Amino acid sequence: MGGSLAMALRPFIPHLTIIDRDPETRAACVAIADAVTDNFADGVREATLVILAVPARAIVTLLQELPTMRPDGCAVMDIGSTKTDICAAMATLPPQFDSIGGHPMCGKEISGFAAADADLYRGQTFVLCSHARTTAVLRETAVNLIHHIGANPIHLPPATHDQLVATISHMPYLASATLMRTAAALGDERAWPVSASGFRDTSRIAGSDPQMMLDILMTNKTAVLAQLAKFQELLTAVSTHLQNDDESALRDWLTHAQSEHQHYKKVKTGSAIGE
Amino acid sequence: MGGSLAMALRPFIPHLTIIDRDPETRAACVAIADAVTDNFADGVREATLVILAVPARAIVTLLQELPTMRPDGCAVMDIGSTKTDICAAMATLPPQFDSIGGHPMCGKEISGFAAADADLYRGQTFVLCSHARTTAVLRETAVNLIHHIGANPIHLPPATHDQLVATISHMPYLASATLMRTAAALGDERAWPVSASGFRDTSRIAGSDPQMMLDILMTNKTAVLAQLAKFQELLTAVSTHLQNDDESALRDWLTHAQSEHQHYKKVKTGSAIGE
């Protein structure tokens, strides 16, 4: 995600420094960056804007280290997957820092700089989360940056963002992973040749990186648990209708799901065309 | 599904009769069929092989009517989504009938003859379910038919088929529909522009036809309820790990899901290449 953002922003940045721990990534970054380093303090020393593109909890740690590395302050943004903890950490930075949370709503199953793509963000939604001390100047800088990479900015409070992503990203991940584990628990290898596109699509994100997902779930625990409770309530309802041979209630439940899917597709397609 | 099968089989059939209730479908079928009718009795009167391509419970009804329509018997196959009830009905046909259950593991979100595609079955798995009275001759005919349309036959007992599709098709549908309903229950329209490819893919089959899915669930109730129970057990486990901040158990659970997904992808890709 960070590599794609660096590539997409490159034409608009006079001086680009990339900080990465991995020697292979640093070697690859030389092609697009003015400077490459594995040292956070060196990398941020002269930056006007620092963009943190690591897992959510690592972002919080870096925000805590930043005032020591950069005592004179700078602008800070991030592209972490959850926003409440990160924006809370941003709000406690010393006054010489100006900060805003960000989350581009796209991704790749393959990570690493080799998979970086300057067009990754084109046409995608990019959430911005201001906190009480985010300035209008930084909001404008962030919106311009998002327009540069071809994405569509949406402003949301951090808690709203986290509730929405719990619903449309983290709960879907848990359902996908649970489907995969349920199918594997059958212990019948004939399941795989018999499976088709329905299983392929619903199980796809079960293949996500466990460490990244662990980080996301741990930093969005409250919202994810609320979605899990709602999901379990709805699943129990449909299960009970089937158990009771209640065709009328079952048909009604399934028809609601189809109607809601049609509404989502209509709104989603509309927003992609409109923006 | 029936339209695609008729188109795919057309080059190999000397005389093709299509039976359909819908006048528009019948009008479209004239282009490929030697005869088109809305009358089941007329359609099956001189057939060597009757292929039933309607929802599972309607197939059972047609199988019950068939001996009256066609007293001298014929060969019968179906392409219904569940197999236990259908094969049980086939096994009670009079001795002048030879019958075999079938289920091609592919489909389209769009149904109707306008969406028919002669290449729909190419490279896909096609399950055959024999019952105690299925002859070796009909098994061979069915295998040849499957090879003609470019699909890969797999022989499974009806109960095994139904357990496998409960796991890799019906439970994924219920999880997908529950995800859709959970997201809609949030009542926040901002969810849709914020959603990305993860939600798109995991919610896709929530848009399936409710009547078709109702039919499938009602004819595969026992196997689906067993998969629902296993799914709920695994979902409760991951939910408890998160609730308890048990990072080690949570990481372990998520890592298993990723490994199992990698195994499925490896086997699935291998079988597609190998066959």
Side-chain angles (χ1 to χ4, degrees):
Chain A
M1 297 289 288
S4 296
L5 188 60
M7 286 173 71
L9 281 176
R10 172 71 274 198
F12 311 101
I13 301 178
H15 187 95
L16 172 67
T17 301
I18 294 180
I19 312 166
D20 203 284
R21 280 190 198 168
D22 178 48
E24 278 188 41
T25 300
R26 288 200 305 277
C29 286
V30 167
I32 64 156
D34 300 299
V36 177
T37 176
D38 66 344
N39 186 291
F40 187 55
D42 288 347
V44 302
R45 187 163 293 133
E46 298 185 348
T48 310
L49 171 66
V50 171
I51 301 179
L52 303 169
V54 289
R57 290 189 291 186
I59 289 172
V60 172
T61 304
L62 291 178
L63 287 169
Q64 288 160 350
E65 293 173 4
L66 196 57
T68 314
M69 309 292 176
R70 189 61 196 273
D72 59 326
C74 62
V76 187
M77 183 175 161
D78 81 295
I79 57 167
S81 301
T82 55
K83 296 270 70 78
T84 305
D85 293 0
I86 289 169
C87 288
M90 285 178 167
T92 63
L93 284 170
Q96 62 272 32
F97 287 92
D98 193 2
S99 55
I100 191 165
H103 186 203
M105 302 312 298
C106 53
K108 292 204 148 190
E109 283 158 277
I110 313 156
S111 56
F113 192 81
D117 172 8
D119 288 325
L120 180 64
Y121 301 99
R122 198 157 295 282
Q124 306 300 316
T125 298
F126 199 124
V127 179
L128 284 174
C129 295
S130 300
H131 55 83
R133 289 180 37 229
T134 303
T135 67
V137 172
L138 183 56
R139 278 170 70 101
E140 197 186 327
T141 300
V143 166
N144 287 340
L145 179 154
I146 292 167
H147 285 146
H148 280 326
I149 63 174
N152 307 311
I154 289 187
H155 296 275
L156 292 174
T160 304
H161 167 276
D162 283 4
Q163 189 184 43
L164 290 176
V165 293
T167 311
I168 53 82
S169 175
H170 310 162
M171 184 62 236
Y173 164 71
L174 287 172
S176 182
T178 305
L179 277 177
M180 190 62 239
R181 299 216 59 188
T182 304
L186 194 64
D188 191 330
E189 289 294 306
R190 293 172 295 185
W192 316 133
V194 171
S195 71
S197 60
F199 188 75
R200 179 196 66 206
D201 288 354
T202 51
S203 72
R204 182 177 65 81
I205 55 175
S208 303
D209 177 49
Q211 186 57 44
M212 183 188 73
M213 292 313 304
L214 179 71
D215 201 81
I216 287 172
L217 297 173
M218 293 300 288
T219 55
N220 203 20
K221 180 179 161 178
T222 309
V224 170
L225 287 174
Q227 292 309 309
L228 271 165
K230 186 69 193 172
F231 183 94
Q232 284 171 314
E233 177 196 322
L234 285 159
L235 191 66
T236 301
V238 73
S239 177
T240 304
H241 298 328
L242 181 59
Q243 179 74 62
N244 296 343
D245 291 320
D246 188 343
E247 280 205 43
S248 166
L250 188 54
R251 183 186 289 107
D252 191 53
W253 193 102
L254 305 181
T255 303
H256 270 98
Q258 187 194 39
S259 306
E260 288 158 1
H261 187 259
Q262 285 165 346
H263 173 75
Y264 142 69
K265 290 302 276 186
K266 195 177 154 193
V267 174
K268 183 69 182 162
T269 312
S271 73
I273 290 167
E275 282 173 354
Chain B
M1 298 288 288
S4 297
L5 188 61
M7 286 173 72
L9 281 176
R10 175 68 275 197
F12 311 100
I13 302 177
H15 187 94
L16 172 67
T17 300
I18 293 180
I19 312 166
D20 202 283
R21 279 190 198 167
D22 178 49
E24 278 187 43
T25 300
R26 290 200 304 276
C29 287
V30 168
I32 63 157
D34 300 298
V36 176
T37 177
D38 66 344
N39 186 291
F40 187 56
D42 287 348
V44 303
R45 188 163 293 134
E46 298 186 347
T48 311
L49 170 66
V50 171
I51 301 179
L52 302 170
V54 289
R57 290 189 291 187
I59 290 172
V60 172
T61 304
L62 291 177
L63 286 169
Q64 287 160 350
E65 292 173 4
L66 195 57
T68 314
M69 309 291 174
R70 189 63 196 272
D72 58 326
C74 62
V76 188
M77 184 175 160
D78 81 297
I79 56 167
S81 301
T82 55
K83 297 270 72 79
T84 306
D85 292 1
I86 290 169
C87 288
M90 284 178 167
T92 63
L93 284 169
Q96 62 272 32
F97 287 92
D98 194 0
S99 55
I100 190 164
H103 185 203
M105 301 313 299
C106 53
K108 293 204 149 192
E109 282 158 279
I110 313 155
S111 57
F113 192 80
D117 171 7
D119 288 324
L120 180 64
Y121 301 99
R122 198 156 295 284
Q124 306 301 315
T125 299
F126 199 123
V127 178
L128 284 174
C129 295
S130 300
H131 55 83
R133 288 180 39 231
T134 303
T135 66
V137 171
L138 183 55
R139 279 170 69 102
E140 195 185 330
T141 301
V143 166
N144 288 339
L145 180 153
I146 291 167
H147 284 147
H148 280 325
I149 63 176
N152 308 311
I154 290 187
H155 296 276
L156 293 174
T160 304
H161 167 274
D162 283 3
Q163 189 185 45
L164 291 176
V165 293
T167 310
I168 53 82
S169 175
H170 310 162
M171 183 62 236
Y173 164 71
L174 287 173
S176 183
T178 305
L179 276 178
M180 190 63 239
R181 298 218 59 189
T182 304
L186 193 64
D188 191 330
E189 287 295 305
R190 293 172 294 186
W192 317 132
V194 171
S195 70
S197 60
F199 188 75
R200 179 197 66 206
D201 289 354
T202 51
S203 72
R204 182 176 66 81
I205 55 175
S208 303
D209 177 49
Q211 187 56 45
M212 182 189 73
M213 292 314 305
L214 179 70
D215 202 83
I216 287 172
L217 296 173
M218 294 300 289
T219 55
N220 203 19
K221 179 178 161 179
T222 308
V224 171
L225 286 174
Q227 292 308 309
L228 270 165
K230 187 68 194 173
F231 182 93
Q232 284 171 315
E233 176 195 323
L234 284 159
L235 192 65
T236 300
V238 72
S239 178
T240 303
H241 298 330
L242 181 59
Q243 180 73 63
N244 295 345
D245 291 320
D246 188 343
E247 281 205 43
S248 166
L250 189 52
R251 183 185 289 107
D252 190 53
W253 194 102
L254 304 180
T255 303
H256 270 98
Q258 187 194 37
S259 305
E260 287 158 2
H261 186 260
Q262 285 166 346
H263 173 74
Y264 142 69
K265 291 301 277 185
K266 193 177 156 193
V267 174
K268 183 69 182 163
T269 313
S271 74
I273 291 168
E275 281 174 357

